[in-house]
Amino acid sequence: MMYPPETAHPCTFLPPGGKRKAPFLFFLIALLTLGGACGTLKPTRQATAPLPMSEQVLTGTLANGLRYYIRQNPTPKDRVELRLNVRTGSLNETEEERGLAHFVEHMAFNGIRHFEHNELIAFLEEAGLTFGAHTNAYTATDVTNYQLSIPLDRPELLNKAFLVLGDWADGLLFDEGEIEKEKGVIVEEWRMRDGVRKRVGDKSRAVLLSGSRYPLRDPIGLMPVVKGANRPLLKGYYDANYTPDRMAVVVVGNIDATEMKERIEKAMGGIAPRKARAAASKEVPLTPGLRVTTITDPELTAGTVAMDHFFLRKPTTTCEGFKRDLTEQLAFAAFNRRVRKKITDRELPLLRAFARVTNIRGDLHTARFMARPVKGNVSEGLSGLYAEMERVRRFGFLAEELTEQKSAFKKALTEAARPDRRVESSDHAAAICEFDTYGGSLTDPNQDLALYLKAAGTITTADLNQAFRRLLAPESRSVIFTFPEKRKAETLTKPEIMNLAAKVQREKLSPYTLAPAITALVTTPPKGGDVVKAEKIPAIEGQAFTLSNGTRLVVKPTANAPGEFLIRATATGGLSSVPDADYKRVSMAAGLVNQSGFAGIPQTELTRFLAGRDINVSPSIGANATLFSGGGATSEAETLFQMLRLYFTAPEVSPKALSIHKARMTQTINARAHDKKFCFTADAAEARHNDKFRDQPLAIGDLAGLTPEVLLADYTDFFVSPSAFTFTVVGDVTPEKIANLAARYLGDLPAAANKKNKVDRGLRLKAVGGPESIRITGKGDLADRASVSAFYEFEAPFSHKQSVQISILRRILSRRLRLSVREEKGGVYSISAKLRFQAEPAELFKASLSFTCDPHRVDELIPLTEGMIRGMGTTGVTQQEMELAVKQSLTTLAQVEKKDRYWLNTISTTLDHGWDLDEVLSREQVLRSTTRDELNALAKEALTGIKGYITVYTPDTREAS
């Protein structure tokens, strides 16, 4: 993604803040167009009807200027989402404050009026909540957002949660000792993010946002400012920008709106109003003319070209603007479909390309055309993309294209607007915060559908053509080449770009033609089979069915996601059953079928047929199982079973799909050869394993013998018959209806036994002879950081009980590491341990650890972290630690049990292994009954004296930080 990257800096990895998320309608449209959010052209007047406001949101403003938004939402029924949205971010920093907006956010978790030092995190953990999952924050250029997710079954937690919101708004303590400790954490966050993506993003931002304040206000800030921060500076920024008139409280959940309003007034109404420092300008001026820029980096592995056509646009607030946005999205969706088909048909010498209308920052928007050219064919690829743009400009779109796009959009929006469709409270909260920060509209799916139906009926191909031409017309344009340093010679200059475009405009082009769309996947009704056996499965409140050809189907109906379902089919064996000589080739077979299509229907036409239908399923060959995975709208279940039938009866590997795959992989392989970190990681993996290791990176020679015939034979060798699979379906379904669909489309296919078995190929970490772990080192990182990963392994019997218990130890160990290495030492930003028992293909205990740090602290932090792992084995855990970890585990389990994905994974994995469902589902019982003695015995067995391999990747030089 070669436009400015996300500028939010969450405390953990969250969906990025700081980039405008689209209204709900345009989120769906983005899925259809491969595009992003769309705004409107800057209007000369806003005289048309305003867009409606969600009728489900109670809004208001307190006397001190603080806004509130309250929405009753039943999903999940036992939890409420709280947000403090502060409309200030790094853009409002002075030169001396660069980085303090983000620093203030960190200090919100290090001492507030009612919770000093780290008491807030300790309180939440005691309540069974987890830092990151249930409380978090992020800082962006325009906003700082604080988040709490609170269970509703404990009123005392909700009471304290509102205290926290009030303290965040007006009660940060800025303890000097906590400030000093947090400096190291922030520096390590900067270090962790300081890579190729940031380097390229900074350079790209400087071009795209030239003349504005944005390129100079990256939220992570300047480290000299961070290191020099003190209480007066931080409190100065806080007092100047955290004023009630810049804040909003958002409450979404299964709550009483009147009660929540009273809570907000009590918690926030007493904050005294005060004048905020003047906000910084968000203006981004248009730069006239064409700018051509080349950005290179030694660590880039692919070359991309971004062609931008800039214009200014205010957030959409009227029906007139809505129609204009919709028209543009329909046009770009049609254009993207054209381009994808031409790339797939090898008529366009590009590896990938798409177009979208998107907001960059402030009012600056762009019509962006992105391309990934074939190495050595940059001019030809861009000429081809320009030709497609010119073809639309010259001849316009076809009526059939508009009709198909309207149909696809309508299907998607109708599905989204189903009265029983559930939306998570966290998603509603995010949309409200986005609206509060950036304005625009806040609508519900039913309103989006009504708006769409009214607007779409009046949109013509002439409207699409006009919109597309208008978006190509701006005089402010940019072309940015983002390429690996070694491919800089392939980039074009401004005169070359202008000559290329002029040449295309002189070319004789023919109008676009479109073959008729397919109207059905299965044109002849199948003979079908019968359901010969049905039985109850009390453990999951589901049913098992057997078809006449032996196919087995397990169905668990749920009410977790009305109108939706998930499916997975598994056959044991997978890649573990494949000899070494065939391993890499076979690993590509299912992916090539998925890219090719079936029954004479190429993937582009299948995508066309499925547009707007919320359904999908695809084959894959995993490490130890052969799989189908998919799901979608229950109303489209028949379509999914038709696809399954064709994946069994008429799979294809097309020469065109294989050709594209080879071109992409060739470019990737060549690029990786110059990627020092990739090469080190691959070499280190091979060095720490025995001679059974076979996951070496793909080489050019591995592509040489690939043919459609060989790959199709590989595929059919695994996907022999539905009877070789066990199908698991979870969701809002009627078991008998699903069984009948399976019988109709799969039951008449020939029965065939699965001849594949899971094979233990003997892959293990090499034995470590001495008393200490073996260190594998490499140099080459361009950033001033060390990337550290540790791997441990030994043979151990698998049991479900110990798998649950080791997860408790993992929580305790991760917390200890966070408190010591991050909070006390300031040595890392993020660190966690993974401990698990592996069941297949061999029974093993595995542990791993990873973090980034200052290269100078490697020799300090490796012994510290490894010592903490071993120390848990020798000293065990405390009763308090165990109780806290069990509370957190029970809270997490209660949440995931309300997700269909949890049940799909659990049931499918259990059936694939032949385990006992009652035993697998006893997780809660194990959590509640586990004793400290049991945990300490397990820790002693698993962690005492543990040793393995530690990889360390550092810069070429070690200059002082």
Side-chain angles (χ1 to χ4, degrees):
M1 206 162 55
M2 293 302 107
Y3 56 95
E6 297 89 348
T7 58
H9 287 275
C11 284
T12 61
F13 297 106
L14 294 174
K19 290 190 70 66
R20 291 193 195 184
K21 303 176 184 69
F24 193 80
L25 163 66
F26 292 108
F27 168 74
L28 289 169
I29 292 175
L31 298 180
L32 293 165
T33 62
L34 292 180
C38 177
T40 60
L41 288 172
K42 188 174 182 179
T44 56
R45 59 187 177 88
Q46 290 277 350
T48 61
L51 289 171
M53 176 77 172
S54 169
E55 298 173 353
Q56 307 301 315
V57 180
L58 172 66
T59 66
T61 304
L62 301 184
N64 59 11
L66 183 141
R67 302 178 194 169
Y68 61 83
Y69 304 82
I70 305 169
R71 178 172 186 137
Q72 202 286 331
N73 187 61
T75 306
K77 66 180 180 180
D78 56 356
R79 190 164 293 274
V80 61
E81 297 294 329
L82 304 178
R83 303 289 185 269
L84 176 66
N85 197 59
V86 189
R87 295 180 299 279
T88 185
S90 59
L91 199 68
N92 283 338
E93 296 168 342
T94 65
E95 189 66 24
E96 294 73 27
E97 294 174 333
R98 291 176 65 178
L100 296 194
H102 178 232
F103 205 141
V104 165
E105 172 227 308
H106 274 245
M107 294 309 298
F109 298 91
N110 289 278
I112 54 180
R113 184 179 295 118
H114 291 91
F115 299 91
E116 297 183 358
H117 304 292
N118 294 121
E119 290 176 5
L120 173 58
I121 301 301
F123 156 70
L124 293 169
E125 289 179 333
E126 286 294 331
L129 307 182
T130 304
F131 182 56
H134 301 109
T135 180
N136 219 312
Y138 65 77
T139 303
T141 50
D142 302 307
V143 66
T144 308
N145 185 271
Y146 299 90
Q147 308 156 358
L148 286 169
S149 181
I150 302 297
L152 286 169
D153 59 350
R154 298 170 63 185
E156 73 279 7
L157 285 184
L158 191 58
N159 293 336
K160 291 192 175 182
F162 275 93
L163 280 180
V164 172
L165 290 182
D167 286 358
W168 279 342
D170 191 47
L172 269 62
L173 299 180
F174 298 109
D175 177 86
E176 288 284 10
E178 295 295 335
I179 290 171
E180 288 305 308
K181 286 195 293 186
E182 201 63 22
K183 288 178 181 180
V185 175
I186 295 173
V187 169
E188 291 310 317
E189 181 180 359
W190 162 81
R191 194 187 311 278
M192 183 185 73
R193 302 180 189 279
D194 185 29
V196 59
R197 184 181 181 188
K198 185 178 187 303
R199 291 194 298 272
V200 170
D202 288 346
K203 293 175 182 177
S204 178
R205 212 167 23 245
V207 175
L208 297 174
L209 298 169
S210 175
S212 78
R213 191 180 180 90
Y214 284 100
L216 303 176
R217 292 297 182 270
D218 184 355
I220 196 66
L222 301 178
M223 291 309 99
V225 173
V226 169
K227 292 176 181 179
N230 54 35
R231 188 177 192 278
L233 282 172
L234 288 164
K235 194 171 187 308
Y237 173 86
Y238 180 70
D239 290 342
N241 292 283
Y242 278 54
T243 56
D245 60 310
R246 284 186 178 172
M247 296 180 185
V249 171
V250 178
V251 183
V252 184
N254 195 19
I255 43 83
D256 177 81
T258 302
E259 178 195 348
M260 292 302 114
K261 180 182 175 183
E262 292 172 354
R263 286 181 177 274
I264 292 171
E265 290 172 340
K266 181 179 178 181
M268 316 299 284
I271 301 174
R274 61 180 185 272
K275 184 176 178 60
R277 180 198 298 167
S281 172
K282 297 182 180 181
E283 181 181 357
V284 184
L286 292 177
T287 302
L290 171 66
R291 291 170 289 164
V292 177
T293 306
T294 295
I295 299 172
T296 64
D297 193 279
E299 293 183 350
L300 277 172
T301 58
T304 59
V305 185
M307 299 183 289
D308 286 292
H309 303 72
F310 301 106
F311 53 93
L312 298 178
R313 166 173 290 178
K314 293 291 183 183
T316 302
T317 58
T318 69
C319 294
E320 177 187 55
F322 180 97
K323 179 181 176 181
R324 180 169 51 234
D325 295 349
L326 176 59
T327 304
E328 293 172 357
Q329 295 289 358
L330 288 166
F332 274 65
F335 179 81
N336 283 331
R337 182 175 291 174
R338 284 189 182 188
V339 170
R340 284 197 300 271
K341 179 169 175 54
K342 284 185 173 287
I343 291 174
T344 301
D345 291 345
R346 307 302 283 154
E347 296 176 14
L348 191 56
L350 293 170
L351 298 177
R352 290 187 178 87
F354 66 89
R356 67 181 182 183
V357 178
T358 188
N359 166 246
I360 300 179
R361 287 291 184 274
D363 292 342
L364 185 68
H365 289 68
T366 178
R368 170 169 293 146
F369 296 82
M370 294 283 296
R372 183 179 170 189
V374 177
K375 184 177 181 180
N377 288 288
V378 175
S379 294
E380 294 84 347
L382 292 187
S383 292
L385 186 57
Y386 271 125
E388 294 311 310
M389 296 160 64
E390 175 64 16
R391 197 185 312 275
V392 175
R393 195 190 65 80
R394 200 178 297 181
F395 301 108
F397 291 102
L398 302 175
E400 297 92 330
E401 291 179 291
L402 176 57
T403 299
E404 288 185 17
Q405 292 302 330
K406 283 184 177 181
S407 175
F409 280 30
K410 181 181 177 181
K411 287 176 183 175
L413 289 165
T414 301
E415 176 65 23
R418 280 191 297 102
D420 63 347
R421 190 177 183 96
R422 294 179 182 175
V423 178
E424 294 281 334
S425 292
S426 57
D427 293 333
H428 280 307
I432 293 171
C433 290
E434 194 73 19
F435 169 75
D436 179 67
T437 303
Y438 299 110
S441 63
L442 183 63
T443 53
D444 286 323
N446 63 314
Q447 295 171 316
D448 291 330
L449 177 60
L451 288 164
Y452 170 81
L453 293 174
K454 183 176 181 180
T458 65
I459 295 174
T460 66
T461 52
D463 294 326
L464 257 67
N465 299 338
Q466 182 183 25
F468 195 87
R469 291 163 184 154
R470 181 179 68 241
L471 290 172
L472 292 184
E475 287 300 314
S476 179
R477 292 170 291 137
S478 169
V479 177
I480 299 180
F481 292 87
T482 308
F483 270 59
E485 201 168 85
K486 292 181 179 296
R487 292 181 57 192
K488 183 177 181 180
E490 297 181 48
T491 63
L492 306 182
T493 63
K494 179 177 178 179
E496 289 171 329
I497 288 286
M498 296 180 70
N499 290 337
L500 184 150
K503 181 180 178 182
V504 169
Q505 290 174 356
R506 295 192 300 267
E507 287 181 0
K508 183 178 181 180
L509 301 174
S510 57
Y512 182 72
T513 58
L514 184 66
I518 60 171
T519 56
L521 296 180
V522 178
T523 55
T524 303
K527 177 183 176 182
D530 298 311
V531 177
V532 297
K533 185 179 181 181
E535 55 185 326
K536 302 282 188 183
I537 307 180
I540 60 169
E541 298 179 341
Q543 288 181 261
F545 302 91
T546 304
L547 307 185
S548 49
N549 63 354
T551 300
R552 189 160 185 249
L553 180 74
V554 175
V555 184
K556 175 179 171 57
T558 73
N560 296 327
E564 300 175 26
F565 77 105
L566 298 170
I567 188 170
R568 177 181 296 159
T570 60
T572 192
L575 291 171
S576 71
S577 66
V578 178
D580 292 352
D582 302 328
Y583 176 73
K584 291 183 180 179
R585 186 192 73 243
V586 173
S587 68
M588 295 182 255
L592 264 299
V593 169
N594 197 39
Q595 294 170 38
S596 299
F598 43 54
I601 304 171
Q603 183 58 234
T604 51
E605 290 305 305
L606 177 61
T607 302
R608 188 177 170 191
F609 174 80
L610 294 176
R613 301 173 191 262
D614 181 13
I615 201 71
N616 194 34
V617 67
S618 59
S620 62
I621 305 175
N624 298 294
T626 306
L627 305 150
F628 281 105
S629 302
T634 305
S635 59
E636 293 287 349
E638 183 168 6
T639 301
L640 183 142
F641 278 96
Q642 290 175 346
M643 294 173 68
L644 285 171
R645 179 181 181 87
L646 296 176
Y647 274 126
F648 279 112
T649 61
E652 296 177 358
V653 175
S654 75
K656 289 180 179 178
L658 179 56
S659 176
I660 293 173
H661 177 75
K662 285 184 175 181
R664 288 174 177 167
M665 292 312 301
T666 297
Q667 193 153 310
T668 299
I669 291 166
N670 288 331
R672 285 175 173 173
H674 303 291
D675 182 339
K676 292 182 179 180
K677 187 170 185 179
F678 177 86
C679 293
F680 167 73
T681 302
D683 291 344
E686 188 165 6
R688 66 178 179 265
H689 285 98
N690 60 16
D691 60 1
K692 304 300 182 182
F693 184 77
R694 58 179 188 171
D695 276 324
Q696 295 88 353
L698 203 66
I700 296 295
D702 296 321
L703 304 175
L706 300 183
T707 67
E709 295 76 17
V710 170
L711 288 163
L712 186 57
D714 288 333
Y715 175 88
T716 54
D717 187 41
F718 281 82
F719 296 86
V720 291
S721 166
S723 63
F725 289 76
T726 297
F727 292 78
T728 303
V729 177
V730 177
D732 184 13
V733 296
T734 303
E736 291 78 12
K737 288 183 178 180
I738 291 295
N740 288 332
L741 284 174
R744 184 185 311 164
Y745 290 104
L746 304 178
D748 64 328
L749 299 182
N754 178 25
K755 298 180 181 179
K756 307 294 182 183
N757 291 300
K758 297 170 189 172
V759 177
D760 179 7
R761 295 280 168 185
L763 178 66
R764 304 287 190 275
L765 289 181
K766 291 177 183 176
V768 178
E772 299 298 327
S773 296
I774 294 174
R775 195 179 296 191
I776 303 172
T777 60
K779 294 184 178 182
D781 201 324
L782 296 183
D784 181 29
R785 66 180 173 202
S787 300
V788 180
S789 297
F791 306 88
Y792 311 93
E793 172 188 290
F794 57 83
E795 295 191 8
F798 177 86
S799 78
H800 296 290
K801 180 177 181 179
Q802 287 198 329
S803 288
V804 175
Q805 292 175 334
I806 204 70
S807 72
I808 301 174
L809 289 178
R810 178 192 60 78
R811 282 186 181 273
I812 296 171
L813 179 58
S814 293
R815 181 174 181 271
R816 286 185 180 183
L817 289 167
R818 175 175 61 80
L819 291 175
S820 175
V821 187
R822 172 182 156 131
E823 304 298 345
E824 292 298 324
K825 300 290 185 180
V828 301
Y829 171 65
S830 176
I831 184 170
S832 64
K834 294 181 180 178
L835 310 175
R836 68 184 180 94
F837 286 99
Q838 173 183 293
E840 62 178 14
E843 295 186 348
L844 300 170
F845 171 76
K846 292 194 167 204
S848 62
L849 177 76
S850 62
F851 58 87
T852 60
C853 68
D854 182 341
H856 292 88
R857 299 190 70 180
V858 167
D859 293 334
E860 169 198 356
L861 297 182
I862 287 179
L864 172 64
T865 54
E866 198 166 48
M868 293 180 70
I869 297 173
R870 293 171 177 169
M872 182 174 281
T874 55
T875 63
V877 303
T878 67
Q879 186 70 22
Q880 182 182 17
E881 285 179 316
M882 185 192 75
E883 291 174 358
L884 187 152
V886 168
K887 280 183 183 179
Q888 291 178 320
S889 297
L890 288 169
T891 299
T892 300
L893 180 62
Q895 288 182 264
V896 299
E897 283 183 335
K898 297 179 178 67
K899 304 289 185 182
D900 286 345
R901 182 69 61 186
Y902 166 81
W903 288 104
L904 183 77
N905 291 341
T906 299
I907 296 169
S908 178
T909 302
T910 300
L911 295 173
D912 183 51
H913 287 78
W915 292 333
D916 178 75
L917 266 169
D918 288 314
E919 185 180 5
V920 174
L921 294 173
S922 65
R923 185 177 182 86
E924 180 179 349
Q925 179 184 343
V926 174
L927 286 170
R928 294 188 183 279
S929 63
T930 292
T931 67
R932 181 187 170 203
D933 287 342
E934 286 179 304
L935 278 187
N936 286 338
L938 180 58
K940 182 177 180 180
E941 178 184 356
L943 303 178
T944 302
I946 194 169
K947 57 187 178 182
Y949 289 83
I950 300 175
T951 64
V952 183
Y953 186 67
T954 59
D956 281 323
T957 58
R958 291 194 179 191
E959 297 176 359
S961 300

